[in-house]
Amino acid sequence: MNVAGFIFLLSLHLGVFQIGYGRNASTRPAVVNIGAMFNFDSIIGRVAKIAIDEALKDVNSNSSILKGTKLSVTLQDTNCNGFLGMVEALRYMATDVVAIIGPQCSVVAPIISHVASELRFPLLSFAATDPTLSSLQFPFFVRTAQSDLYQMTAVADIIDHYGWKEVIAIFIDDDWGRNGVSALNDKLAERRCKISYKVGIQPDSSVTQGAIMDILVKVALMQSRIVVLHLNQIVGFKVFSVANHLGMMGNGYVWIATDWLSLVLDSESPLPSETMDKIQGVLTLRQHTPDSDRKRAFFARWNRITGGSPQLNAYGLYAYDTVWLLANSLDAFFNQGGVISFSNDSRISSMAGSALHLEAMSIFDDGVLLLKNILLSDFVGLTGPLKFNSDRSLILPAYDIINVLGTGIRQIGYWSNYSGLSTVSPETLYTRPQNRSSANQKLYSVIWPGETLSKPRGWVFPNNGKLLRIGVPNRVSYKEFVSQIRGTDMFKGFCIDVFTAAVNLLPYAVPYKFISFGDGRKNPSYTELVNKITAGEFDAVVGDIAIVTNRTRIVDFTQPYVSSGLVIVARLEKERSGAWAFLQPFSRRMWIVTGSFFLIVGIVVWILEHRINDEFRGPPKQQVITILWFSFSTMFFAHRENTMSTLGRLVLLVWLFVVLIINSSYTASLTSILTVEHLSSPIKGIQSLAATNEPIGYQEGSFAERYLSEELNISRSRLVSLGSPEAYALALKRGPGNGGVAAVVDERPYVELFLSSQCTFKVVGQEFTKSGWGFAFPRDSPLAIDMSTAILALAENGDLQRIHDKWLMQSTCSLESTEIETNQLNLSSFWGLFLICGIACIIALLIYFLQILQQLPPAPESASITGQDSSHSRRLRRFLSLMDEKEEQSRSGQKRRKVDNERDDEFGS
């Protein structure tokens, strides 16, 4: 409703204001008038009235705040009525009121905020917590307490902390209640939780217990056992009374009340014992205010003033701080030259003289400046730091989490927007780096309804007589996995036995019924079957359901009970050995490396034996022939040259060991190739299959078609749907040239069952996807978790294997491997031997070269005259010459050179 409409409806209440308003005040007036609007007869109102009076005394007695200016507050009782609130707001604007403290109720705040925005006076509410009261829609509305947005975030974090996924929300059916639950739903959705059922209760106190009982009976028939109450105290205690009567305050239930319950517990404690008995184990929240000396002193002062009745609560502290917030803002307002002045609205002045007398209302000229100073406030009050962030909410929102226990309450932790759930006070955490990790979210133990410490599961099967609708594929092939018993609604098979065995292990009964999916003439589409869960037609799907990516996006699967993956089945033909069969035992790289090492070892042995062994000396041509002959004759251990050096014998010993291993392996592999019957296929794996243009078979209804076409980009024209194992065998036997297929791609469990009776086909290549079979449930279904635990128990106690053996162990083929492996020997099997031989050669050569270098004569002193380069070249030539000389000649030459050097020295001297 727009402002003009409100004004028209309320004009009759403004007739007393006959005089226009256009007076100005001095820069520092003697008195500044403010208004306060709240429900005097409510728990919040009774405390707020006293708190505002005490704050007013403190402000006016403190000369450093307003410097001689006094605050005067005019109180009005709105009784949480939007119409009366509107009237009082308009009355205030006929006086020199610059701001209003209030309203208390969220349902009144939007109406008054429209007036405040038009007439430019700030509205400071210490109790209107509706999260939809935004600064964009209501620019002059300022909330001086915490928004319910943060309270609902705290509730969502508690629910997520305990692992619950679904909650039931009961709320007051007004703007405050609906908007609060909407915020809760948004925060739960961020944590992959949801409100499964929500119901509103009329906000007035006339709601009957019969109406509440009807609501709670419906709640008791729901699956979730987590109930969030966003109510007022009158309706809230009626709900607890009826819930206690229905036995809903016992084991298995979780009740979370918003801060309305803590407000009552703080303000009217101790409650009667019969009331406390009805709320045992309930969790509730309270706006957190940090402990301080000022706060403790104010509590002591409060008790002296009131005698303990009413008791001080968090909203009383916020009301007290709101007065101080306004006083500090007015002081800054005056320091900046602000003036309290009012002017008539030209839109209303045109109506002067009419019976409505609207000209009595005026606009606060410097209201924008005062609002700016309010939003820039930064001081510490009884409730902690009072400072606003960019969206005009108080910084550092936090809540105490309380467990109702016995005759009182017990605090089990804190929630803060900074660090989430914690057993440490938020003030301590503010000094540490922010940490919202799940491992850091902690609360103390809770005494739940029913006086138990065990965390409730949070859900049960709804006791509404409905059976769990389970979709089952009506297969026409591979009926060992799942099949419908003819003429009945019952199913049998491996998958069905696993499901029933897992259900029997659950600690609760699961009423269910199987519903057939498929026409019985061909295998149904499993993707369509899974989609039926999201469409709400099935509550679960049981069968040979592959866990693949696109399905996990829409449903939750249990722990896989069968390992699976796509494999290739092809027809094998006898492999005939050709003229070059003797080359098959080694791979090409193995042949190259082996031949290279024959030459390397021959050269190394020649170097080591050349100086001392006449069999390795002679003309260059003869020496090359000797190297080649010696190298390759070692293959047959037929070398006739004797090695004389120790190093040569060491190298030869290592090499002959390598040759022995290679010869033995070659002989064994060649014997197998020539004597054992081998089956082969031109298809070696998925890459070679995809590279051809031949047709490929797949099982009808399987996800293999989508995988081959979308993931591997194989044309759909090449894909052939096959409906049974017999169709597999026929298509493979015909081959691609006769209307058949080159290979069939299917999941391993089907292939293993197919190959148990078809011995002429084998799996080629490796499994190229990894997945499994599981049972499908809706997203975040708690039953999926319990079923996964049951499947793991079946695997651990051996029942899963026994069920497998009962249905799937029926092979008539030999137990030979179903996978084709190459008979070629690769370098990877022998690189260790070649490495040892290479190291032996290198070590022998290094030792040999060091020995030669020791035999080189030192360079004569006259060599420095001819230059450094010529000296190096002479030493190199001498080194090579020494290597080529026979060892006896080398020794005699060394003696002659020694005598010549001595004669040269004597002649020089």
Side-chain angles (χ1 to χ4, degrees), residues 785-805:
I785 300 174
D786 290 351
M787 286 292 289
S788 295
T789 304
I791 290 172
L792 290 175
L794 290 176
E796 292 172 358
N797 62 25
D799 287 346
L800 190 60
Q801 184 61 44
R802 283 188 284 272
I803 297 173
H804 178 275
D805 296 345

Side-chain angles (χ1 to χ4, degrees), residues 591-631:
W591 279 117
I592 294 172
V593 173
T594 303
S596 300
F597 261 85
F598 273 111
L599 293 175
I600 291 171
V601 171
I603 294 172
V604 170
V605 172
W606 176 84
I607 293 173
L608 299 175
E609 295 290 326
H610 180 68
R611 298 184 67 237
I612 61 176
N613 193 338
D614 290 335
E615 294 181 351
F616 289 88
R617 300 186 63 81
K621 181 178 179 181
Q622 180 182 347
Q623 294 183 49
V624 170
I625 295 174
T626 300
I627 292 173
L628 295 175
W629 166 255
F630 180 81
S631 300

Side-chain angles (χ1 to χ4, degrees), residues 257-482:
T258 51
D259 62 351
W260 65 268
L261 180 57
S262 65
L263 176 65
V264 177
L265 294 172
D266 288 341
S267 305
E268 300 182 355
S269 181
L271 296 177
S273 59
E274 58 270 17
T275 301
M276 293 298 296
D277 290 343
K278 296 173 183 177
I279 59 174
Q280 292 296 301
V282 175
L283 295 183
T284 184
L285 291 90
R286 174 176 58 202
Q287 296 197 46
H288 173 75
T289 55
D291 193 21
S292 65
D293 293 337
R294 284 185 60 197
K295 179 180 171 182
R296 287 191 293 270
F298 189 77
F299 265 90
R301 173 183 169 186
W302 182 276
N303 291 330
R304 289 194 303 269
I305 295 171
T306 65
S309 179
Q311 298 179 24
L312 183 60
N313 55 48
Y315 287 100
L317 297 176
Y318 279 112
Y320 180 90
D321 280 350
T322 301
V323 177
W324 274 93
L325 172 68
L326 185 54
N328 282 288
S329 302
L330 283 169
D331 188 52
F333 169 81
F334 291 132
N335 290 336
Q336 296 171 11
V339 176
I340 296 179
S341 63
F342 298 86
S343 60
N344 292 329
D345 190 339
S346 60
R347 296 170 297 177
I348 301 177
S349 299
S350 61
M351 303 179 186
S354 68
L356 298 177
H357 303 292
L358 299 177
E359 67 275 6
M361 293 183 296
S362 55
I363 297 174
F364 180 23
D365 294 330
D366 282 344
V368 175
L369 179 61
L370 178 58
L371 175 65
K372 177 183 177 182
N373 283 282
I374 290 174
L375 297 176
L376 292 177
S377 298
D378 187 2
F379 70 98
V380 178
L382 296 180
T383 58
L386 267 78
K387 183 178 180 181
F388 297 94
N389 56 25
S390 59
D391 63 354
R392 298 189 182 184
S393 297
L394 289 177
I395 63 171
L396 306 178
Y399 285 84
D400 301 332
I401 303 173
I402 296 169
N403 184 202
V404 180
L405 181 63
T407 59
I409 59 176
R410 170 174 169 264
Q411 187 165 333
I412 61 170
Y414 306 88
W415 176 90
S416 69
N417 200 41
Y418 181 78
S419 57
L421 302 175
S422 175
T423 55
V424 181
S425 68
E427 290 71 39
T428 302
L429 297 175
Y430 294 150
T431 62
R432 304 175 184 174
Q434 188 175 19
N435 186 355
R436 293 297 297 264
S437 65
S438 58
N440 201 49
Q441 306 298 296
K442 298 177 182 178
L443 292 174
Y444 290 120
S445 59
V446 178
I447 305 297
W448 303 102
E451 299 181 356
T452 177
L453 284 170
S454 301
K455 185 197 78 172
R457 188 170 69 241
W459 69 278
V460 295
F461 271 96
N463 188 21
N464 53 14
K466 294 182 179 179
L467 300 177
L468 201 67
R469 299 165 301 170
I470 299 178
V472 183
N474 187 6
R475 296 191 59 90
V476 297
S477 63
Y478 296 111
K479 292 188 175 183
E480 292 85 352
F481 294 106
V482 58

Side-chain angles (χ1 to χ4, degrees), residues 518-740:
D519 56 13
R521 294 189 296 271
K522 63 179 182 179
N523 292 334
S525 169
Y526 280 40
T527 300
E528 292 181 8
L529 175 59
V530 172
N531 287 336
K532 294 293 183 181
I533 295 179
T534 59
E537 296 185 26
F538 293 144
D539 299 315
V541 168
V542 170
D544 44 342
I545 313 298
I547 304 173
V548 294
T549 304
N550 64 326
R551 295 174 185 171
T552 57
R553 295 191 181 104
I554 58 175
V555 297
D556 281 350
F557 283 93
T558 62
Q559 172 78 15
Y561 59 90
V562 169
S563 296
S564 181
L566 292 178
V567 294
I568 301 172
V569 181
R571 181 183 179 183
L572 303 181
E573 298 180 355
K574 294 181 179 180
E575 183 178 321
R576 302 189 181 190
S577 57
W580 303 96
F582 66 91
L583 295 176
Q584 292 182 12
F586 287 166
S587 64
R588 179 179 300 179
R589 183 176 297 180
M590 182 67 181
W591 279 117
I592 294 172
V593 173
T594 303
S596 300
F597 261 85
F598 273 111
L599 293 175
I600 291 171
V601 171
I603 294 172
V604 170
V605 172
W606 176 84
I607 293 173
L608 299 175
E609 295 290 326
H610 180 68
R611 298 184 67 237
I612 61 176
N613 193 338
D614 290 335
E615 294 181 351
F616 289 88
R617 300 186 63 81
K621 181 178 179 181
Q622 180 182 347
Q623 294 183 49
V624 170
I625 295 174
T626 300
I627 292 173
L628 295 175
W629 166 255
F630 180 81
S631 300
F632 291 100
S633 62
T634 57
M635 181 185 300
F636 312 103
F637 305 98
H639 54 285
R640 56 182 177 79
E641 294 80 8
N642 294 321
T643 52
M644 299 177 60
S645 67
T646 303
L647 294 176
R649 291 175 177 174
L650 174 64
V651 171
L652 186 61
L653 179 64
V654 174
W655 174 242
L656 290 178
F657 175 73
V658 174
V659 170
L660 175 64
I661 300 299
I662 292 175
N663 273 342
S664 301
S665 303
Y666 178 84
T667 302
S669 179
L670 183 60
T671 301
S672 174
I673 291 173
L674 296 178
T675 60
V676 179
E677 181 182 70
H678 288 275
L679 301 176
S680 66
S681 170
I683 300 170
K684 303 302 180 184
I686 188 61
Q687 287 80 11
S688 62
L689 179 61
T692 67
N693 290 320
E694 297 175 340
I696 303 171
Y698 68 91
Q699 184 182 170
E700 189 175 35
S702 171
F703 76 96
E705 178 189 15
R706 185 200 62 82
Y707 183 86
L708 293 173
S709 61
E710 297 181 9
E711 300 296 333
L712 301 182
N713 296 319
I714 297 176
S715 173
R716 290 184 181 271
S717 61
R718 294 178 54 193
L719 304 180
V720 179
S721 174
L722 302 173
S724 65
E726 294 75 16
Y728 282 19
L730 181 60
L732 289 171
K733 288 178 181 178
R734 287 180 176 177
N738 298 315

